[in-house]
Amino acid sequence: MLMLRCVCCSRYMDLVHTDSDFEGHDGFFQLFSDPRSTRLSRVHLREDTVLDQDLQAIAKQDLIELHLTNCNNLSAHSLKTLSDFRHTLVSLSLFGCSNIFHRKAMDFSFQGFNRLRLLNLGCLPPDVDVEALLSPLTSLTALDLSGLQLPRPAFLAQWRDRLTSLVLYNVELCEEVFHTVLQMDQIRHLDISRESRRSGKFKLTRKLLTAIVQSLTHLASLDISGHVMLDNCAAPPFEEAVGRPSTDPSKSSIYPLRELKRPLQFLGLYDTTLCNLTHIPAYKVTGGKNEEQILNAIEAYTEFRPELAHRAINQLFDIARIQHCGQLLRALQLVIAALKCHKYDKSIQVTGSAALFYLTNTEYRCDQSIRLRREVIQVVLNGMEQYQEVTVQRNCCLTLCNFSIPEELEFQYRRVNQLLLRILEPTRQDESIQRIAVHLCNALVCQVDNDHKEAVGKMGFVKTMLNLIQKKLLDKLCDQVMEFSWSALWNITDETPDNCRMFLERSGMDLFLECLKEFPDKQELHRNMLGLLGNVAEVKALRPQLMTPQFITVFSNLLDSKADGIEVSYNACGVLSHIMFDGPDAWTMDEPQREEVMDRMWDAIRSWDVSSRRNINYRSFEPILRLLPQSIAPVSQHWATWALYNLVSVYPSKYCPLLIKEGGMNLLLSVLELPSSHEETKDMARKVMEHCGNFKEDPMETGR
């Protein structure tokens, strides 16, 4: 027999709420239908994914604890299932399950729930007859009636001698209710807080607060958040005890709390002026005075009071943005918990995602574990998935920019790409989000293997980037989105023939020509476009599509370009080098003539400074090396040799090992042996071999 404390159920619900790749199974709860094989004792479920049949499936279990939170898809049918647990239940929460006590359920009674001690009925519909419903429960020790309308002041008197915990958050109070509460001499936790000082007619006075402290002698936890004090409860500065902040009741800056025999374990002062005082006799205080109070508020109010947690997270955001967060780990964990708990609450998602942006930036990075940063990524992606609203999307995208891309996002690689492409699908997207999303897309395909690139290509990456380029052309605007889109296409087509084919099939060459014409002076744009076309030209099967008079003329003219140093000229020459490598038989046009283009290529290569620093990154030399051992196009061989000479001389520690590893030294030897190789090519090949030889012999270099 498998004994479970709802760990399995909780993990299942956590996956349902936080992992888009996890699909809930209709029959999951049937796994626990027979208590002889799988026994449950405690079950916590939340949100709309829980259905009547799920509860019905576990009806034979002897549950001790059942907590259902905001399960709005549970109907009155589930009350019958609740009755099946009446002999064993000790703790029951139906917080926010607004449809379970529908009018049809008015005949339901807690009769027979003799073991029930803890009950939470917070935020149930106002038409529920609370007094009739609860009258059989004479043995309750903890009761939460948040947001309910009390039927009559004396209603609570039946638990006067038993209650140790009473929560009346957002309950309209009066003097008579207070009179009843003050008779509950067993109370250890009392919560009479409200959402804000603007809500409610009742005003908490110094006299009443003093009476609470004097009458409830076992009190360890008190929450009076959101109350306006009618008369002054605070000691003036000249009366305050000197020295560091103290929890000693005798030094309390709050007059009524000087009556305490010992400090409180918890004191809720959120949205009150009292939280700003110096000496507060409690070990844990909620408020807005400092980071500690704010974090306490997030911790205390997240599960059942998202409206307060939202405000506290907003205050934490200000601390992280303007000041410095001293409890980073705790802050991150609390914000993550809030985002997970309230995946469907827009206000929490907006403030939480904004706070995460500042809590994950470079300043705090060294203090964060891999696991914690992965949790952040998960909740950020949840927010992107759930909300199309501009602020959430922008916050989430900006937060992702704080991570090492693609390394830290690789465990969610497919999901993050799908979400970014979905953001970019409407070409009239918010400009700032579009810019960040394209930047992320580009970074995600920049340093990954070809399998990843092919997978992203099949998701519609190439199509999406081309659509963005088309839109920018219509607007006659060459901005970062335009440049990033071409850069992303350059990266995703690197050594990936299928993506190169998609580019051609979706009229990419037409867009290339239009961009050249519309933006003749945009150097970065030209570099990105020519880099992409270099990738296309490396695919032998696709080169015939580049063999048109129009394209060859354009590439030839770009040989003379001085844009971005030598990059545009270099890339144009690279495209032509691969085309020339196919030989004269593949040259199917009369104009321009092959020899004429080759002459222009020689001139361009000879004009380049071999010590030029490059804005380029080669993961492999294979496309260059294949141009070395051949005699059909000496100019292509010369371009390849020049490329290697430039890279190994300017960046020896990076490119010498790569060239040696990929067998480049033997191929350079073949260049020296071929009669067709030009002397200047051979001379350059020798210099490359010399550079790599020296590098190999230098232990300081190879150790880098």
Side-chain angles (χ1 to χ4, degrees):
M1 179 184 292
L2 181 63
M3 299 287 289
L4 295 170
R5 295 185 57 192
C6 85
V7 174
C8 188
C9 287
S10 295
R11 179 61 182 146
Y12 170 79
M13 296 308 296
D14 192 41
L15 286 170
V16 168
H17 290 303
T18 62
D19 190 340
S20 66
D21 293 329
F22 182 83
E23 293 184 11
H25 194 280
D26 291 342
F28 172 77
F29 288 93
Q30 288 295 331
L31 295 171
F32 308 97
S33 60
D34 187 353
R36 291 172 298 181
S37 57
T38 52
R39 181 176 294 178
L40 295 173
S41 60
R42 291 172 170 83
V43 174
H44 292 200
L45 304 171
R46 62 182 302 119
E47 309 295 351
D48 297 348
T49 49
V50 184
L51 306 174
D52 290 326
Q53 55 263 38
D54 298 329
L55 276 191
Q56 181 59 42
I58 60 173
K60 294 181 180 179
Q61 296 285 351
D62 293 333
L63 294 187
I64 296 171
E65 185 173 293
L66 176 62
H67 289 189
L68 304 171
T69 305
N70 295 323
C71 299
N72 289 317
N73 279 335
L74 292 181
S75 71
H77 294 294
S78 286
L79 290 175
K80 181 181 182 303
T81 308
L82 279 183
S83 296
D84 292 333
F85 305 130
R86 65 186 181 278
H87 299 300
T88 57
L89 267 187
V90 175
S91 178
L92 174 65
S93 173
L94 299 175
F95 184 90
C97 299
S98 55
N99 294 322
I100 200 167
F101 287 105
H102 193 267
R103 288 185 180 84
K104 293 180 182 177
M106 290 307 171
D107 58 345
F108 173 79
S109 169
F110 278 113
Q111 194 71 43
F113 285 73
N114 297 326
R115 298 189 63 189
L116 195 63
R117 297 294 182 269
L118 293 83
L119 179 63
N120 185 341
L121 294 180
C123 294
L124 291 188
D127 55 357
V128 174
D129 187 344
V130 179
E131 185 166 11
L133 189 65
L134 300 187
S135 58
L137 299 176
T138 57
S139 300
L140 288 178
T141 59
L143 181 60
D144 188 332
L145 299 175
S146 296
L148 298 186
Q149 185 173 345
L150 299 184
R152 57 191 178 88
F155 155 68
L156 297 170
Q158 61 180 310
W159 301 290
R160 180 174 54 203
D161 299 325
R162 299 192 62 90
L163 278 186
T164 60
S165 174
L166 178 61
V167 178
L168 300 176
Y169 170 69
N170 269 354
V171 171
E172 190 57 57
L173 302 174
C174 62
E175 294 278 356
E176 291 81 359
V177 170
F178 254 99
H179 178 72
T180 303
V181 170
L182 292 176
Q183 298 176 52
M184 297 179 172
D185 55 10
Q186 299 302 310
I187 285 283
R188 291 181 54 79
H189 170 65
L190 178 63
D191 185 340
I192 54 172
S193 62
R194 56 176 55 145
E195 184 175 342
S196 74
R197 282 180 269 182
R198 294 188 299 272
S199 61
K201 301 173 184 176
F202 182 80
K203 306 298 180 185
L204 186 61
T205 64
R206 176 174 171 177
K207 178 182 177 182
L208 282 173
L209 187 54
T210 302
I212 289 173
V213 174
Q214 291 176 337
S215 302
L216 307 180
T217 56
H218 297 293
L219 199 64
S221 171
L222 174 65
D223 201 330
I224 56 172
S225 298
H227 275 283
V228 175
M229 311 302 290
L230 275 183
D231 45 8
N232 191 10
C233 283
F238 66 85
E239 272 192 34
E240 282 199 310
V242 295
R244 294 170 59 84
S246 172
T247 58
D248 183 350
S250 66
K251 297 180 180 179
S252 174
S253 300
I254 305 171
Y255 280 132
L257 300 190
R258 292 181 178 179
E259 302 288 333
L260 288 167
K261 299 293 187 291
R262 67 195 70 81
L264 295 170
Q265 296 296 318
F266 174 89
L267 179 58
L269 297 177
Y270 194 75
D271 196 23
T272 71
T273 56
L274 299 179
C275 71
N276 297 313
L277 299 176
T278 304
H279 305 297
I280 301 176
Y283 297 120
K284 183 171 284 190
V285 179
T286 68
K289 178 183 179 181
N290 53 38
E291 181 181 340
E292 176 70 19
Q293 289 187 2
I294 290 165
L295 292 177
N296 289 340
I298 299 172
E299 183 177 64
Y301 304 134
T302 285
E303 185 171 10
F304 297 125
R305 301 174 195 178
E307 63 279 5
L308 296 185
H310 153 66
R311 287 157 59 189
I313 293 171
N314 208 32
Q315 290 171 303
L316 175 63
F317 162 79
D318 286 335
I319 288 175
R321 178 174 62 94
I322 302 169
Q323 304 170 35
H324 177 80
C325 183
Q327 300 182 54
L328 175 67
L329 181 61
R330 185 183 177 207
L332 267 176
Q333 289 172 332
L334 288 173
V335 174
I336 289 169
L339 288 166
K340 282 184 175 180
C341 189
H342 299 287
K343 182 179 176 182
Y344 307 105
D345 187 309
K346 179 182 169 183
S347 62
I348 290 281
Q349 293 297 318
V350 169
T351 55
S353 57
L356 285 183
F357 170 69
Y358 286 99
L359 291 170
T360 55
N361 67 19
T362 309
E363 178 185 359
Y364 301 115
R365 185 168 187 165
C366 62
D367 299 321
Q368 299 165 15
S369 67
I370 293 172
R371 181 176 180 179
L372 184 63
R373 286 177 72 81
R374 285 191 169 191
E375 278 195 82
V376 173
I377 291 167
Q378 288 274 27
V379 294
V380 165
L381 297 183
N382 290 342
M384 291 172 67
E385 208 161 43
Q386 189 64 33
Y387 292 97
Q388 299 303 302
E389 196 270 341
V390 169
T391 309
V392 175
Q393 296 285 357
R394 185 188 298 112
N395 290 350
C396 290
C397 286
L398 282 170
T399 301
L400 290 179
C401 291
N402 286 337
F403 292 83
S404 297
I405 303 172
E407 295 83 5
E408 289 191 281
L409 300 183
E410 196 156 359
F411 80 107
Q412 289 282 289
Y413 192 77
R414 181 178 181 84
R415 184 183 179 198
V416 70
N417 273 289
Q418 285 175 328
L419 289 169
L420 290 170
L421 292 177
R422 190 179 75 177
I423 288 174
L424 292 170
E425 198 171 308
T427 53
R428 294 290 170 184
Q429 176 63 275
D430 175 84
E431 194 70 31
S432 62
I433 296 177
Q434 201 174 65
R435 184 173 61 253
I436 303 163
V438 174
H439 163 73
L440 286 167
C441 283
N442 189 20
L444 281 162
V445 296
C446 185
Q447 294 288 338
V448 293
D449 59 42
N450 294 344
D451 290 341
H452 279 75
K453 293 181 181 181
E454 287 176 4
V456 175
K458 289 173 182 174
M459 292 179 199
F461 189 100
V462 175
K463 172 189 170 186
T464 300
M465 295 301 139
L466 290 175
N467 285 344
L468 289 171
I469 292 166
Q470 178 73 62
K471 184 257 179 184
K472 294 298 178 183
L473 270 169
L474 289 172
D475 294 344
K476 299 186 182 302
L477 181 63
C478 181
D479 58 3
Q480 285 186 316
V481 172
M482 169 73 93
E483 291 180 353
F484 284 162
S485 297
W486 279 108
S487 180
L489 288 171
W490 181 4
N491 283 317
I492 201 173
T493 54
D494 182 30
E495 298 183 42
T496 317
D498 285 349
N499 291 340
C500 292
R501 184 177 293 105
M502 274 187 251
F503 171 78
L504 294 179
E505 288 173 351
R506 295 192 172 275
S507 305
M509 291 303 294
D510 292 338
L511 292 176
F512 162 67
L513 294 175
E514 288 181 54
C515 284
L516 273 182
K517 181 180 178 182
E518 188 66 43
F519 311 112
D521 301 319
K522 293 292 183 178
Q523 298 186 16
E524 180 82 5
L525 176 68
H526 293 185
R527 181 181 71 88
N528 292 342
M529 292 194 299
L530 266 295
L532 157 64
L533 294 181
N535 292 338
V536 175
E538 289 171 6
V539 184
K540 182 176 177 61
L542 300 180
R543 285 200 283 269
Q545 297 186 53
L546 303 180
M547 194 80 74
T548 70
Q550 185 182 26
F551 294 154
I552 297 299
T553 300
V554 168
F555 298 144
S556 299
N557 290 337
L558 288 170
L559 290 169
D560 300 326
S561 172
K562 303 302 179 188
D564 200 16
I566 67 167
E567 296 300 336
V568 172
S569 177
Y570 171 88
N571 284 325
C573 199
V575 172
L576 291 168
S577 292
H578 287 287
I579 291 172
M580 295 300 176
F581 181 56
D582 289 338
D585 293 341
W587 197 270
T588 55
M589 69 198 84
D590 295 328
E591 291 293 335
Q593 294 182 355
R594 186 169 183 266
E595 290 72 18
E596 175 192 340
V597 175
M598 287 195 293
D599 287 342
R600 295 185 68 177
M601 291 169 66
W602 280 106
D603 291 342
I605 297 169
R606 288 167 180 151
S607 72
W608 302 336
D609 181 357
V610 78
S611 63
S612 298
R613 301 194 69 81
R614 308 297 305 285
N615 193 359
I616 198 167
N617 180 42
Y618 281 101
R619 292 187 302 127
S620 169
F621 281 146
E622 195 278 329
I624 294 176
L625 295 177
R626 72 172 74 130
L627 300 177
L628 292 178
Q630 51 92 14
S631 56
I632 200 165
V635 70
S636 302
Q637 183 189 64
H638 190 65
W639 174 83
T641 309
W642 188 96
L644 295 175
Y645 182 31
N646 166 251
L647 293 168
V648 300
S649 57
V650 178
Y651 308 102
S653 62
K654 180 175 184 179
Y655 289 119
C656 283
L658 181 63
L659 183 61
I660 293 166
K661 177 185 175 183
E662 296 191 336
M665 301 296 273
N666 288 334
L667 294 173
L668 287 164
L669 275 174
S670 69
V671 171
L672 300 179
E673 294 166 359
L674 283 169
S676 59
S677 301
H678 286 218
E679 276 306 315
E680 58 186 303
T681 308
K682 291 181 180 180
D683 182 53
M684 206 174 288
R686 290 187 193 96
K687 290 178 179 176
V688 175
M689 295 172 70
E690 184 180 335
H691 266 285
C692 290
N694 292 338
F695 176 82
K696 192 174 182 181
E697 292 165 10
D698 186 346
M700 295 303 292
E701 284 281 350
T702 53
R704 264 173 28 188

